[in-house]
Amino acid sequence: MVERGLVHKSRVVASCVSAIEPLCRELLDDVTGFGFDEDEVFGIHLAVEEAFANAVKHGNKADEHRSVSIEYFITPVKVDISISDEGAGFAPEAVPDPRTEENLYNSGGRGLLLMRSHMDVVEHNDKGNCVHMIKYRANAQSDEVKE
Amino acid sequence: MDQLRPKIKVEYVQHAAIATLTDEKILDESDIRGLAGSIMPLVETSPGVNLVLDFSNVKFLSSAVLGLLIRISRKIYESDGQFKLCGINPKIHEIFRITRLDRVFDIHADRYDAVRSLD
């Protein structure tokens, strides 16, 4: 169950990589407005771009007739983002580690690693066609102390 | 579709070609195709080229760019050229570190260091 935020937006967009741009810009403006710092905003941006690219390329197999659903909630404490595609899903644990010697020179396969390294929570539904990510705002606690 | 290409500015200094990426963001497939279309001919028509790729204008990139850099480096090393990266900001450098590509690519602080490091 996702906690309802002070900002809640939900969109269904065409399954092409550039379709995320307007919503991504809105999301980044929203998290900046809630006081997420520059590094956190960079990480959220990267995670959303990578998750959306995975949904389009791997989930929906680059079929532009399919769509991608994006939903996010923001509170002063965290941003909570879900991105779903219409594909058959995948098993995240089966994705090879791109940092190993045999995979280091592969041209792809780094998106999930970057999402996990920049967000506090990255989890998939059982089917594997919806990724749910959370980033907690580092300064949220100090704001509470000031109040 | 030239308007889709991220612009690169190419200069020749001593025995190196310095390609400066002029776009702040390199994200989607069309950006990557445009960048590949700008850089690959430079590499393919100059066997043994010493290429310095200057990222000082780039503020954001996706992992798809990393794949392109690997393809470029393969092409250059096949013809005994050298490939250097420089001007990478700390947040983007962190992407190279996380993926361990900081061990694969020869990364320098700026173009002067990169050119000085050429054999």
Side-chain angles (χ1 to χ4, degrees), chain B residues 52 54 85-87 108-116:
Chain B
V52 175
D54 188 340
L85 309 182
C86 70
H108 294 267
D110 56 41
R111 56 173 54 200
Y112 306 106
D113 277 358
V115 170
R116 264 199 300 271

PDB file of all heavy atoms in Angstrom, chain B residues 52 54 85-87 108-116:
ATOM      1  N   VAL B  52      40.317  12.209 -27.673  1.00  0.00           N
ATOM      2  CA  VAL B  52      39.989  12.689 -26.328  1.00  0.00           C
ATOM      3  C   VAL B  52      38.533  13.162 -26.373  1.00  0.00           C
ATOM      4  O   VAL B  52      38.194  14.026 -27.184  1.00  0.00           O
ATOM      5  CB  VAL B  52      40.913  13.847 -25.904  1.00  0.00           C
ATOM      6  CG1 VAL B  52      40.466  14.419 -24.559  1.00  0.00           C
ATOM      7  CG2 VAL B  52      42.362  13.395 -25.844  1.00  0.00           C
ATOM      8  N   ASP B  54      35.739  15.104 -24.484  1.00  0.00           N
ATOM      9  CA  ASP B  54      35.646  16.085 -23.403  1.00  0.00           C
ATOM     10  C   ASP B  54      34.179  16.247 -22.963  1.00  0.00           C
ATOM     11  O   ASP B  54      33.339  16.693 -23.735  1.00  0.00           O
ATOM     12  CB  ASP B  54      36.215  17.424 -23.900  1.00  0.00           C
ATOM     13  CG  ASP B  54      36.342  18.451 -22.792  1.00  0.00           C
ATOM     14  OD1 ASP B  54      35.672  18.296 -21.740  1.00  0.00           O
ATOM     15  OD2 ASP B  54      37.090  19.421 -22.964  1.00  0.00           O
ATOM     16  N   LEU B  85      39.023   9.998 -21.762  1.00  0.00           N
ATOM     17  CA  LEU B  85      37.866  10.809 -21.381  1.00  0.00           C
ATOM     18  C   LEU B  85      38.333  11.901 -20.435  1.00  0.00           C
ATOM     19  O   LEU B  85      39.276  11.684 -19.658  1.00  0.00           O
ATOM     20  CB  LEU B  85      36.813   9.950 -20.670  1.00  0.00           C
ATOM     21  CG  LEU B  85      36.356   8.652 -21.360  1.00  0.00           C
ATOM     22  CD1 LEU B  85      35.278   7.959 -20.520  1.00  0.00           C
ATOM     23  CD2 LEU B  85      35.843   8.924 -22.756  1.00  0.00           C
ATOM     24  N   CYS B  86      37.680  13.057 -20.476  1.00  0.00           N
ATOM     25  CA  CYS B  86      38.069  14.113 -19.538  1.00  0.00           C
ATOM     26  C   CYS B  86      36.885  15.036 -19.254  1.00  0.00           C
ATOM     27  O   CYS B  86      35.855  14.976 -19.928  1.00  0.00           O
ATOM     28  CB  CYS B  86      39.248  14.916 -20.092  1.00  0.00           C
ATOM     29  SG  CYS B  86      38.831  15.940 -21.502  1.00  0.00           S
ATOM     30  N   GLY B  87      37.048  15.868 -18.226  1.00  0.00           N
ATOM     31  CA  GLY B  87      36.043  16.888 -17.904  1.00  0.00           C
ATOM     32  C   GLY B  87      34.751  16.319 -17.359  1.00  0.00           C
ATOM     33  O   GLY B  87      33.692  16.929 -17.497  1.00  0.00           O
ATOM     34  N   HIS B 108      40.682  11.536 -17.316  1.00  0.00           N
ATOM     35  CA  HIS B 108      41.563  12.620 -16.862  1.00  0.00           C
ATOM     36  C   HIS B 108      40.733  13.839 -16.452  1.00  0.00           C
ATOM     37  O   HIS B 108      39.597  14.000 -16.883  1.00  0.00           O
ATOM     38  CB  HIS B 108      42.536  13.006 -17.980  1.00  0.00           C
ATOM     39  CG  HIS B 108      43.487  11.897 -18.291  1.00  0.00           C
ATOM     40  ND1 HIS B 108      44.725  11.783 -17.720  1.00  0.00           N
ATOM     41  CD2 HIS B 108      43.339  10.809 -19.078  1.00  0.00           C
ATOM     42  CE1 HIS B 108      45.314  10.679 -18.154  1.00  0.00           C
ATOM     43  NE2 HIS B 108      44.497  10.064 -18.982  1.00  0.00           N
ATOM     44  N   ALA B 109      41.347  14.680 -15.628  1.00  0.00           N
ATOM     45  CA  ALA B 109      40.632  15.848 -15.105  1.00  0.00           C
ATOM     46  C   ALA B 109      40.212  16.791 -16.235  1.00  0.00           C
ATOM     47  O   ALA B 109      39.081  17.258 -16.271  1.00  0.00           O
ATOM     48  CB  ALA B 109      41.503  16.588 -14.099  1.00  0.00           C
ATOM     49  N   ASP B 110      41.147  17.062 -17.150  1.00  0.00           N
ATOM     50  CA  ASP B 110      40.825  17.986 -18.243  1.00  0.00           C
ATOM     51  C   ASP B 110      41.571  17.574 -19.512  1.00  0.00           C
ATOM     52  O   ASP B 110      42.379  16.657 -19.504  1.00  0.00           O
ATOM     53  CB  ASP B 110      41.134  19.435 -17.843  1.00  0.00           C
ATOM     54  CG  ASP B 110      42.573  19.632 -17.415  1.00  0.00           C
ATOM     55  OD1 ASP B 110      43.464  19.050 -18.078  1.00  0.00           O
ATOM     56  OD2 ASP B 110      42.807  20.336 -16.427  1.00  0.00           O
ATOM     57  N   ARG B 111      41.294  18.278 -20.585  1.00  0.00           N
ATOM     58  CA  ARG B 111      41.860  17.927 -21.894  1.00  0.00           C
ATOM     59  C   ARG B 111      43.381  18.027 -21.912  1.00  0.00           C
ATOM     60  O   ARG B 111      44.053  17.291 -22.638  1.00  0.00           O
ATOM     61  CB  ARG B 111      41.257  18.815 -22.983  1.00  0.00           C
ATOM     62  CG  ARG B 111      41.454  20.308 -22.700  1.00  0.00           C
ATOM     63  CD  ARG B 111      41.001  21.172 -23.859  1.00  0.00           C
ATOM     64  NE  ARG B 111      39.625  20.876 -24.245  1.00  0.00           N
ATOM     65  CZ  ARG B 111      39.128  21.201 -25.445  1.00  0.00           C
ATOM     66  NH1 ARG B 111      39.879  21.829 -26.335  1.00  0.00           N
ATOM     67  NH2 ARG B 111      37.886  20.930 -25.727  1.00  0.00           N
ATOM     68  N   TYR B 112      43.927  18.953 -21.126  1.00  0.00           N
ATOM     69  CA  TYR B 112      45.385  19.129 -21.130  1.00  0.00           C
ATOM     70  C   TYR B 112      46.054  17.903 -20.528  1.00  0.00           C
ATOM     71  O   TYR B 112      47.041  17.390 -21.049  1.00  0.00           O
ATOM     72  CB  TYR B 112      45.753  20.418 -20.375  1.00  0.00           C
ATOM     73  CG  TYR B 112      45.022  21.611 -20.929  1.00  0.00           C
ATOM     74  CD1 TYR B 112      43.967  22.194 -20.238  1.00  0.00           C
ATOM     75  CD2 TYR B 112      45.362  22.117 -22.191  1.00  0.00           C
ATOM     76  CE1 TYR B 112      43.264  23.258 -20.777  1.00  0.00           C
ATOM     77  CE2 TYR B 112      44.663  23.186 -22.734  1.00  0.00           C
ATOM     78  CZ  TYR B 112      43.616  23.750 -22.030  1.00  0.00           C
ATOM     79  OH  TYR B 112      42.919  24.792 -22.575  1.00  0.00           O
ATOM     80  N   ASP B 113      45.499  17.435 -19.405  1.00  0.00           N
ATOM     81  CA  ASP B 113      46.007  16.204 -18.785  1.00  0.00           C
ATOM     82  C   ASP B 113      45.853  15.026 -19.743  1.00  0.00           C
ATOM     83  O   ASP B 113      46.739  14.179 -19.851  1.00  0.00           O
ATOM     84  CB  ASP B 113      45.217  15.881 -17.505  1.00  0.00           C
ATOM     85  CG  ASP B 113      45.738  16.654 -16.318  1.00  0.00           C
ATOM     86  OD1 ASP B 113      46.736  17.402 -16.490  1.00  0.00           O
ATOM     87  OD2 ASP B 113      45.154  16.525 -15.218  1.00  0.00           O
ATOM     88  N   ALA B 114      44.710  14.976 -20.415  1.00  0.00           N
ATOM     89  CA  ALA B 114      44.432  13.855 -21.315  1.00  0.00           C
ATOM     90  C   ALA B 114      45.438  13.836 -22.467  1.00  0.00           C
ATOM     91  O   ALA B 114      45.992  12.786 -22.795  1.00  0.00           O
ATOM     92  CB  ALA B 114      43.009  13.955 -21.843  1.00  0.00           C
ATOM     93  N   VAL B 115      45.696  14.990 -23.060  1.00  0.00           N
ATOM     94  CA  VAL B 115      46.628  15.053 -24.187  1.00  0.00           C
ATOM     95  C   VAL B 115      48.051  14.735 -23.711  1.00  0.00           C
ATOM     96  O   VAL B 115      48.791  13.998 -24.365  1.00  0.00           O
ATOM     97  CB  VAL B 115      46.583  16.449 -24.866  1.00  0.00           C
ATOM     98  CG1 VAL B 115      47.726  16.611 -25.877  1.00  0.00           C
ATOM     99  CG2 VAL B 115      45.238  16.650 -25.547  1.00  0.00           C
ATOM    100  N   ARG B 116      48.407  15.258 -22.540  1.00  0.00           N
ATOM    101  CA  ARG B 116      49.748  14.983 -21.990  1.00  0.00           C
ATOM    102  C   ARG B 116      49.963  13.486 -21.757  1.00  0.00           C
ATOM    103  O   ARG B 116      51.081  13.002 -21.824  1.00  0.00           O
ATOM    104  CB  ARG B 116      49.935  15.727 -20.666  1.00  0.00           C
ATOM    105  CG  ARG B 116      50.648  17.068 -20.828  1.00  0.00           C
ATOM    106  CD  ARG B 116      51.226  17.550 -19.501  1.00  0.00           C
ATOM    107  NE  ARG B 116      50.195  17.727 -18.491  1.00  0.00           N
ATOM    108  CZ  ARG B 116      49.509  18.873 -18.315  1.00  0.00           C
ATOM    109  NH1 ARG B 116      49.765  19.905 -19.090  1.00  0.00           N
ATOM    110  NH2 ARG B 116      48.603  18.967 -17.376  1.00  0.00           N
TER     111      ARG B 116
END
